[in-house]
Amino acid sequence: MISMFRKYKEFGILGINQRVGEFILPKNPRKYFPLVDDKWKTFELAKFHSLPMPKHFGKIDAFGEVKDFYSLLDGNKNFVIKPANGGMGNGILVIQNTYETSSGIRTFEKSGGKFLSEKDLRHHISGILSGLYSLDGNSDTAILQEKLGLHPFFQNISFQGIPDIRVIVYLGYPVMAMLRLPTKDSGGRANLHQGAIGVGVDLLTGTLSSAVQYDKRIWKHPDTHVEFDGLVLPFWKQILVMAAQCFEISNLGYLGVDIVLDEKKGPVLLEMNARPGLGIQIANRMGLLPRLKLVDQMQNWKLSPEDRTERVLDLLKQRLA
């Protein structure tokens, strides 16, 4: 057991207790957690700072508003329903099309091809309001959000859903990233706990490398059978700068930033996380600690997001030289 811990230390692996004690508690003031835990507040914050996010059609706070949810969509036939305070993708419902009969009866097609009635959707929204999916179990708010389109880059390496890119940002510097790819097992969701794939990303170039599913290494997508090693993510520098910007708008020193590539808009902020998981280390086959310590040595957080991104990339290049 001692040799195992020693091995983890040699690889610079960041553990759960150290993550909380040395990075989350001292770097993330508790008063700012609601800004990222509540997705509606995150949307308002991003809008104020002109950071692109999916369009929000509206929100439902009370059970009396559930019956009129369709009026908030303003005629949009595809949309997403999600809990404002949910986690790990729970409670998110993706509707890819809406059908309406001449008598006004609506049927909704989920991502994946299953159909739901309007009564089904109202029941789901009521579950969100009751706190069924919220992080703390308290009553919640249901958000009606734009459904983003799949960027062509992911056409052959994603199953049904929309992939996202998780970037760990420390004191404003992007330090590690991974791509999360939906699978059949994950139900089209980019959630590692539900069976999505975590793919390591070279921070310098945006090149995809090692990949894991259920913490086991894989080399190709289990559903599309396409290999992703060596593929290069588009908009890479823009993605890193966008992630770095979230330091200013969130006031959190250690956070995970989730970004989606939309087919028309390009990089779009999906959400921020004040307690990002550690699976990103497994996907990249390297520990976070060396990169966090690298940032600690710089001690300059007043640079612009662009300059911080350039600086951390330059230092990583020097280490590899």
Side-chain angles (χ1 to χ4, degrees), residues 1-10:
M1 184 65 72
I2 294 176
S3 61
M4 183 182 294
F5 285 124
R6 189 172 294 154
K7 187 175 182 180
Y8 287 157
K9 188 174 181 180
E10 290 173 359

Side-chain angles (χ1 to χ4, degrees), residues 23-253:
F23 298 99
I24 293 180
L25 289 179
K27 307 298 183 183
N28 291 353
R30 186 77 186 181
K31 64 181 178 179
Y32 296 123
F33 276 37
L35 297 177
V36 297
D37 286 348
D38 187 320
K39 295 175 180 60
W40 187 266
K41 290 181 179 179
T42 302
F43 167 69
E44 292 180 324
L45 192 66
K47 186 177 180 180
F48 179 79
H49 289 274
S50 301
L51 211 58
M53 278 195 79
K55 181 179 179 181
H56 284 43
F57 299 121
K59 60 177 180 173
I60 300 171
D61 296 303
F63 289 98
E65 302 170 354
V66 175
K67 64 181 185 302
D68 299 319
F69 81 89
Y70 194 75
S71 64
L72 296 174
L73 296 170
D74 196 27
N76 286 278
K77 295 185 180 297
N78 53 58
F79 55 94
V80 176
I81 301 174
K82 62 178 12 177
N85 294 282
M88 297 190 297
N90 295 323
I92 297 177
L93 186 60
V94 180
I95 301 300
Q96 63 182 14
N97 209 346
T98 303
Y99 304 92
E100 187 169 354
T101 66
S102 56
S103 57
I105 298 175
R106 300 186 187 96
T107 304
F108 303 89
E109 183 180 5
K110 288 175 57 178
S111 177
K114 293 184 178 180
F115 290 87
L116 299 173
S117 67
E118 195 158 345
K119 182 180 178 181
D120 292 329
L121 257 66
R122 289 173 179 167
H123 180 73
H124 183 76
I125 294 171
S126 295
I128 291 176
L129 298 185
S130 67
L132 186 61
Y133 308 104
S134 66
L135 291 169
D136 55 13
N138 293 325
S139 57
D140 205 349
T141 294
I143 296 173
L144 299 177
Q145 180 182 287
E146 166 191 20
K147 178 183 178 296
L148 297 173
L150 183 70
H151 191 277
F153 176 82
F154 300 114
Q155 195 66 49
N156 297 319
I157 59 170
S158 183
F159 182 82
Q160 292 185 344
I162 304 293
D164 66 27
I165 299 150
R166 160 66 59 89
V167 182
I168 299 295
V169 178
Y170 181 52
L171 300 178
Y173 292 83
V175 293
M176 191 171 284
M178 73 172 166
L179 171 67
R180 298 185 291 199
L181 294 170
T183 66
K184 184 178 181 180
D185 280 3
S186 71
R189 296 176 180 175
N191 188 287
L192 300 185
H193 299 284
Q194 296 171 344
I197 299 166
V199 187
V201 182
D202 184 331
L203 205 70
L204 290 174
T205 64
T207 303
L208 305 187
S209 57
S210 57
V212 292
Q213 184 185 33
Y214 299 120
D215 294 336
K216 294 182 180 179
R217 195 174 186 190
I218 61 173
W219 287 266
K220 61 182 179 181
H221 197 290
D223 305 306
T224 68
H225 307 294
V226 174
E227 296 183 2
F228 20 69
D229 188 14
L231 299 176
V232 181
L233 285 167
F235 304 103
W236 185 238
K237 186 64 70 67
Q238 188 177 340
I239 289 169
L240 292 181
V241 171
M242 182 183 291
Q245 286 178 283
C246 291
F247 170 65
E248 275 86 3
I249 73 171
S250 70
N251 293 298
L252 297 174

Side-chain angles (χ1 to χ4, degrees), residues 253-299:
Y254 182 81
L255 75 157
V257 179
D258 298 338
I259 294 172
V260 171
L261 291 185
D262 179 67
E263 61 179 336
K264 296 179 180 177
K265 301 178 181 179
V268 175
L269 174 66
L270 188 62
E271 59 184 70
M272 292 181 277
N273 193 315
R275 317 164 195 80
L278 298 170
I280 194 168
Q281 299 178 110
I282 302 173
N284 281 278
R285 298 176 66 79
M286 67 174 66
L288 266 166
L289 276 175
R291 296 193 176 186
L292 299 176
K293 291 178 180 178
L294 184 68
V295 172
D296 278 332
Q297 294 168 8
M298 289 192 271
Q299 294 294 326

